[in-house]
Amino acid sequence: MGKLLENLFLKLHFDTKEEILDFMIKKLEAENAVKPGFRKSVYKREKIGSTLLENGVAIPHGMPTEVNKTSIVVATLENPVKWSSHWADLIILLAVPENNANEFESMIIELYSLISNTEIIKTIKNAVHVDELL
């Protein structure tokens, strides 16, 4: 849980999708969790199709070939940012290496299960302190 808490950010203020993505990717780069091409692969993936799901939740991710170790960065935003044609205020950046493809699938299944629970999403989005989520 400790590692997740280091990469959990609540009520951040960013004006654009690019600002929040850059902030989150920098966290992974600082931990050497991703390779230099990860940033480019995240943006390329976003151009292919939006990673925004229901409830204002976005799950951006990059190419597995650009990942050193499985990592996740979670951020809630003070105010939603434009994400394709809709708005996002909960961003979950995933980084999963090639050799953990099964792990990626199970993470996505867990996330979809979580996202479909509107009460949990509401709690996460409204939290101001990490303690509220423990």
Side-chain angles (χ1 to χ4, degrees), residues 56-116:
V57 180
I59 306 180
H61 51 278
M63 290 294 297
T65 53
E66 299 299 328
V67 179
N68 293 324
K69 64 182 178 189
T70 300
S71 302
I72 185 169
V73 182
V74 178
T76 63
L77 302 177
E78 187 69 41
N79 300 302
V81 295
K82 191 82 163 161
W83 205 281
S84 341
S85 58
H86 297 288
W87 298 88
D89 57 358
L90 172 57
I91 319 302
I92 303 167
L93 176 63
L94 299 178
V96 181
E98 276 184 298
N99 61 345
N100 287 2
N102 293 345
E103 193 173 46
F104 182 74
E105 275 184 43
S106 61
M107 286 171 82
I108 292 292
I109 291 167
E110 288 280 325
L111 284 172
Y112 274 107
S113 166
L114 177 81
I115 291 161
S116 64

